[in-house]
Coordinates of all heavy atoms in Angstrom, one line a residue:
C424 N 39.5 2.0 -82.9 CA 39.6 1.4 -81.6 C 40.9 1.7 -80.9 O 41.0 1.7 -79.7 CB 39.5 -0.2 -81.7 SG 37.9 -0.7 -82.4
T425 N 41.9 2.1 -81.7 CA 43.2 2.4 -81.1 C 43.1 3.5 -80.1 O 43.8 3.6 -79.1 CB 44.2 2.7 -82.2 OG1 44.3 1.6 -83.1 CG2 45.6 3.1 -81.7
E426 N 42.3 4.5 -80.5 CA 42.1 5.7 -79.6 C 41.6 5.2 -78.2 O 42.0 5.7 -77.2 CB 41.2 6.7 -80.2 CG 41.0 7.9 -79.3 CD 40.0 8.9 -80.0 OE1 40.3 9.4 -81.1 OE2 39.0 9.2 -79.3
E427 N 40.6 4.3 -78.2 CA 40.1 3.8 -76.9 C 41.1 3.2 -76.1 O 41.2 3.4 -74.9 CB 38.9 2.8 -77.2 CG 37.7 3.4 -77.8 CD 36.8 4.1 -76.8 OE1 37.1 4.0 -75.6 OE2 35.9 4.8 -77.2
V428 N 42.0 2.4 -76.7 CA 43.1 1.7 -75.9 C 44.0 2.7 -75.4 O 44.5 2.7 -74.3 CB 43.8 0.7 -76.8 CG1 45.0 0.1 -76.1 CG2 42.8 -0.4 -77.3
A429 N 44.4 3.7 -76.2 CA 45.3 4.7 -75.8 C 44.8 5.6 -74.6 O 45.6 5.8 -73.7 CB 45.7 5.7 -77.0
V430 N 43.5 6.0 -74.7 CA 43.0 6.8 -73.6 C 42.9 5.9 -72.3 O 43.2 6.4 -71.2 CB 41.6 7.3 -74.0 CG1 40.8 7.9 -72.8 CG2 41.7 8.3 -75.1
F431 N 42.6 4.6 -72.5 CA 42.5 3.8 -71.3 C 43.9 3.6 -70.7 O 44.0 3.7 -69.4 CB 42.0 2.4 -71.7 CG 41.8 1.5 -70.5 CD1 40.7 1.6 -69.7 CD2 42.7 0.5 -70.2 CE1 40.6 0.8 -68.6 CE2 42.6 -0.3 -69.2 CZ 41.5 -0.2 -68.3
N432 N 44.9 3.5 -71.5 CA 46.3 3.4 -70.9 C 46.6 4.6 -70.1 O 47.2 4.6 -69.1 CB 47.3 3.1 -72.0 CG 47.2 1.7 -72.5 OD1 46.6 0.8 -71.9 ND2 47.9 1.5 -73.7
A433 N 46.3 5.8 -70.7 CA 46.6 7.1 -70.1 C 45.8 7.2 -68.7 O 46.4 7.7 -67.8 CB 46.3 8.2 -71.0
F434 N 44.6 6.8 -68.7 CA 43.8 6.8 -67.5 C 44.5 5.9 -66.5 O 44.6 6.3 -65.3 CB 42.4 6.2 -67.9 CG 41.5 6.0 -66.7 CD1 40.8 7.0 -66.1 CD2 41.3 4.7 -66.2 CE1 40.0 6.8 -65.0 CE2 40.5 4.4 -65.1 CZ 39.8 5.5 -64.5
A435 N 44.9 4.7 -66.8 CA 45.6 3.8 -65.9 C 46.9 4.4 -65.3 O 47.2 4.3 -64.1 CB 45.8 2.5 -66.5
E436 N 47.6 5.1 -66.2 CA 48.9 5.7 -65.8 C 48.6 6.8 -64.8 O 49.3 7.1 -63.8 CB 49.6 6.2 -67.0 CG 50.2 5.1 -67.8 CD 50.8 5.5 -69.1 OE1 50.8 6.8 -69.4 OE2 51.2 4.7 -70.0
T437 N 47.5 7.6 -65.0 CA 47.2 8.7 -64.1 C 46.8 8.2 -62.8 O 47.2 8.7 -61.7 CB 46.0 9.5 -64.7 OG1 46.5 10.0 -66.0 CG2 45.7 10.7 -63.9
V438 N 46.0 7.1 -62.8 CA 45.6 6.5 -61.5 C 46.8 6.0 -60.7 O 46.9 6.2 -59.5 CB 44.6 5.3 -61.7 CG1 44.4 4.5 -60.5 CG2 43.2 5.8 -62.2
A439 N 47.8 5.5 -61.4 CA 49.0 4.9 -60.8 C 49.8 6.0 -60.0 O 50.5 5.7 -59.1 CB 49.9 4.2 -61.8
K440 N 49.6 7.3 -60.4 CA 50.3 8.4 -59.8 C 49.8 8.6 -58.3 O 50.5 9.3 -57.6 CB 50.1 9.7 -60.6 CG 50.8 9.7 -61.9 CD 50.5 11.0 -62.7 CE 51.2 11.0 -64.0 NZ 51.0 12.2 -64.8
G441 N 48.7 7.9 -57.9 CA 48.2 8.1 -56.6 C 49.0 7.4 -55.5 O 48.7 7.4 -54.4
R442 N 50.1 6.8 -55.9 CA 51.0 6.2 -54.9 C 51.6 7.2 -53.9 O 51.7 6.9 -52.7 CB 52.2 5.5 -55.6 CG 51.9 4.3 -56.4 CD 53.1 3.6 -56.9 NE 53.9 4.5 -57.7 CZ 53.8 4.6 -59.1 NH1 53.0 3.8 -59.7 NH2 54.6 5.4 -59.8
D443 N 51.9 8.4 -54.4 CA 52.6 9.4 -53.5 C 52.0 10.7 -53.6 O 52.6 11.7 -53.2 CB 54.1 9.4 -53.9 CG 54.3 9.8 -55.3 OD1 53.3 10.1 -56.1 OD2 55.5 9.9 -55.8
R444 N 50.8 10.9 -54.2 CA 50.1 12.2 -54.2 C 48.6 11.9 -54.3 O 48.1 10.8 -54.4 CB 50.6 13.0 -55.4 CG 50.2 12.4 -56.8 CD 51.0 13.0 -57.9 NE 52.2 12.3 -58.0 CZ 53.1 12.6 -59.0 NH1 52.9 13.6 -59.8 NH2 54.2 11.9 -59.0
Y445 N 47.8 13.0 -54.3 CA 46.4 13.0 -54.4 C 46.0 13.3 -55.8 O 46.2 14.4 -56.3 CB 45.7 14.1 -53.5 CG 46.0 13.8 -52.0 CD1 47.2 14.1 -51.4 CD2 44.9 13.2 -51.2 CE1 47.4 13.9 -50.0 CE2 45.1 13.0 -49.9 CZ 46.3 13.3 -49.3 OH 46.5 13.1 -47.9
V446 N 45.5 12.2 -56.5 CA 45.1 12.4 -57.9 C 43.6 12.6 -58.0 O 42.8 11.7 -57.6 CB 45.5 11.1 -58.7 CG1 45.0 11.2 -60.1 CG2 47.0 10.9 -58.7
V447 N 43.2 13.8 -58.4 CA 41.8 14.1 -58.6 C 41.4 14.0 -60.0 O 42.0 14.7 -60.9 CB 41.5 15.5 -58.1 CG1 40.0 15.8 -58.1 CG2 42.0 15.7 -56.6
L448 N 40.5 13.1 -60.3 CA 40.1 12.8 -61.7 C 38.7 13.3 -62.0 O 37.7 12.8 -61.3 CB 40.2 11.3 -62.0 CG 41.5 10.8 -62.5 CD1 41.5 9.3 -62.4 CD2 41.8 11.2 -63.9
D449 N 38.5 14.2 -62.9 CA 37.2 14.6 -63.3 C 36.9 13.7 -64.5 O 37.5 13.8 -65.6 CB 37.3 16.1 -63.8 CG 36.1 16.5 -64.7 OD1 35.0 16.0 -64.4 OD2 36.3 17.2 -65.7
T450 N 36.0 12.8 -64.3 CA 35.7 11.7 -65.3 C 34.7 12.1 -66.3 O 33.9 13.0 -66.1 CB 35.3 10.4 -64.6 OG1 34.1 10.6 -63.8 CG2 36.4 10.0 -63.6
A451 N 34.6 11.3 -67.3 CA 33.6 11.5 -68.4 C 32.2 11.2 -67.9 O 32.1 10.5 -66.8 CB 34.0 10.7 -69.6
P452 N 31.2 11.6 -68.6 CA 29.8 11.2 -68.2 C 29.6 9.7 -68.0 O 30.3 8.9 -68.5 CB 28.9 11.8 -69.3 CG 29.7 12.9 -69.8 CD 31.2 12.5 -69.8
T453 N 28.6 9.4 -67.2 CA 28.4 8.1 -66.6 C 28.6 6.9 -67.6 O 29.4 6.0 -67.3 CB 27.0 8.0 -66.0 OG1 26.8 9.1 -65.2 CG2 26.8 6.7 -65.3
G454 N 27.9 6.9 -68.7 CA 28.0 5.8 -69.6 C 29.4 5.4 -70.0 O 29.9 4.3 -70.0
H455 N 30.1 6.5 -70.5 CA 31.5 6.3 -70.9 C 32.4 5.8 -69.8 O 33.3 5.0 -70.0 CB 32.0 7.6 -71.6 CG 33.4 7.5 -72.1 ND1 34.5 7.8 -71.3 CD2 33.9 7.0 -73.2 CE1 35.6 7.6 -72.1 NE2 35.3 7.1 -73.2
T456 N 32.2 6.4 -68.6 CA 33.1 6.1 -67.5 C 32.9 4.6 -67.1 O 33.9 3.9 -66.9 CB 32.7 6.9 -66.2 OG1 32.8 8.3 -66.6 CG2 33.5 6.6 -65.0
L457 N 31.7 4.1 -67.1 CA 31.4 2.7 -66.8 C 32.0 1.8 -67.8 O 32.6 0.8 -67.5 CB 29.9 2.4 -66.6 CG 29.3 3.0 -65.4 CD1 27.8 2.7 -65.3 CD2 30.0 2.5 -64.1
L458 N 31.9 2.2 -69.1 CA 32.6 1.4 -70.1 C 34.1 1.3 -69.9 O 34.7 0.3 -70.0 CB 32.3 2.0 -71.5 CG 30.9 1.8 -72.1 CD1 30.8 2.5 -73.4 CD2 30.6 0.3 -72.3
L459 N 34.6 2.5 -69.5 CA 36.1 2.5 -69.2 C 36.5 1.6 -68.1 O 37.4 0.9 -68.2 CB 36.4 4.0 -68.9 CG 37.9 4.4 -69.1 CD1 38.2 4.3 -70.6 CD2 38.0 5.9 -68.7
L460 N 35.7 1.6 -67.0 CA 36.0 0.8 -65.8 C 35.7 -0.7 -66.1 O 36.5 -1.6 -65.7 CB 35.2 1.3 -64.6 CG 35.5 2.7 -64.2 CD1 34.6 3.0 -63.0 CD2 36.9 2.9 -63.8
D461 N 34.5 -1.0 -66.7 CA 34.1 -2.4 -66.9 C 35.0 -3.1 -67.9 O 35.0 -4.3 -68.0 CB 32.7 -2.4 -67.3 CG 31.7 -2.2 -66.1 OD1 32.2 -2.2 -65.0 OD2 30.5 -2.0 -66.4
A462 N 35.6 -2.3 -68.8 CA 36.3 -2.9 -70.0 C 37.8 -3.3 -69.7 O 38.5 -3.6 -70.6 CB 36.3 -1.9 -71.1
S463 N 38.2 -3.3 -68.4 CA 39.6 -3.5 -68.1 C 40.1 -4.8 -68.7 O 41.1 -4.8 -69.3 CB 39.8 -3.6 -66.6 OG 39.5 -2.3 -66.0
E464 N 39.4 -5.9 -68.5 CA 39.9 -7.2 -69.0 C 39.9 -7.2 -70.6 O 40.8 -7.7 -71.2 CB 39.0 -8.3 -68.5 CG 39.0 -8.5 -67.0 CD 40.4 -8.8 -66.5 OE1 41.2 -9.5 -67.3 OE2 40.8 -8.4 -65.4
A465 N 38.9 -6.6 -71.2 CA 38.9 -6.5 -72.7 C 40.1 -5.6 -73.1 O 40.7 -6.0 -74.1 CB 37.6 -5.9 -73.1
Y466 N 40.4 -4.5 -72.4 CA 41.5 -3.7 -72.8 C 42.8 -4.5 -72.6 O 43.8 -4.3 -73.3 CB 41.5 -2.4 -72.0 CG 40.6 -1.4 -72.6 CD1 39.4 -1.0 -72.1 CD2 41.0 -0.8 -73.8 CE1 38.6 0.0 -72.7 CE2 40.2 0.2 -74.5 CZ 39.0 0.5 -73.9 OH 38.2 1.5 -74.5
H467 N 42.9 -5.3 -71.6 CA 44.1 -6.2 -71.4 C 44.4 -6.9 -72.7 O 45.5 -6.9 -73.1 CB 43.8 -7.2 -70.2 CG 43.9 -6.5 -68.9 ND1 43.9 -7.3 -67.7 CD2 43.9 -5.3 -68.5 CE1 43.9 -6.5 -66.7 NE2 43.9 -5.2 -67.1
R468 N 43.3 -7.5 -73.3 CA 43.5 -8.3 -74.5 C 44.0 -7.4 -75.6 O 44.8 -7.7 -76.5 CB 42.3 -9.0 -74.8 CG 42.0 -10.2 -73.9 CD 40.8 -11.1 -74.5 NE 39.6 -10.4 -74.4 CZ 38.8 -10.4 -73.3 NH1 39.2 -11.0 -72.2 NH2 37.6 -9.8 -73.3
E469 N 43.3 -6.2 -75.7 CA 43.7 -5.2 -76.8 C 45.2 -4.8 -76.7 O 45.9 -4.7 -77.7 CB 42.8 -4.0 -76.8 CG 41.4 -4.2 -77.2 CD 41.4 -4.7 -78.7 OE1 42.1 -4.1 -79.5 OE2 40.6 -5.6 -79.0
V470 N 45.6 -4.5 -75.5 CA 47.0 -4.0 -75.3 C 47.9 -5.2 -75.6 O 49.0 -5.0 -76.2 CB 47.2 -3.5 -73.8 CG1 48.6 -3.2 -73.6 CG2 46.3 -2.3 -73.6
L471 N 47.6 -6.4 -75.1 CA 48.4 -7.5 -75.5 C 48.6 -7.7 -77.0 O 49.6 -8.0 -77.5 CB 47.9 -8.8 -74.8 CG 48.2 -9.0 -73.3 CD1 47.4 -10.1 -72.8 CD2 49.6 -9.2 -73.1
R472 N 47.4 -7.5 -77.7 CA 47.5 -7.7 -79.1 C 48.4 -6.7 -79.8 O 49.2 -7.1 -80.7 CB 46.0 -7.5 -79.7 CG 45.9 -7.6 -81.2 CD 44.5 -7.4 -81.7 NE 44.0 -6.1 -81.3 CZ 44.3 -5.0 -82.0 NH1 45.1 -5.1 -83.0 NH2 43.8 -3.8 -81.6
D473 N 48.4 -5.5 -79.3 CA 49.2 -4.4 -79.9 C 50.7 -4.5 -79.4 O 51.6 -4.2 -80.2 CB 48.6 -3.1 -79.6 CG 47.4 -2.8 -80.5 OD1 47.2 -3.6 -81.4 OD2 46.7 -1.8 -80.2

Side-chain angles (χ1 to χ4, degrees):
C424 300
T425 301
E426 181 181 302
E427 291 283 349
V428 176
V430 171
F431 183 78
N432 285 348
F434 172 81
E436 289 169 4
T437 303
V438 168
K440 293 178 181 179
R442 290 187 302 267
D443 58 1
R444 70 195 81 178
Y445 294 79
V446 175
V447 182
L448 271 166
D449 163 39
T450 61
T453 307
H455 181 265
T456 301
L457 287 178
L458 285 176
L459 206 59
L460 297 180
D461 284 347
S463 295
E464 295 301 325
Y466 275 109
H467 287 189
R468 288 190 290 274
E469 286 299 318
V470 175
L471 281 171
R472 178 181 61 81
D473 285 347

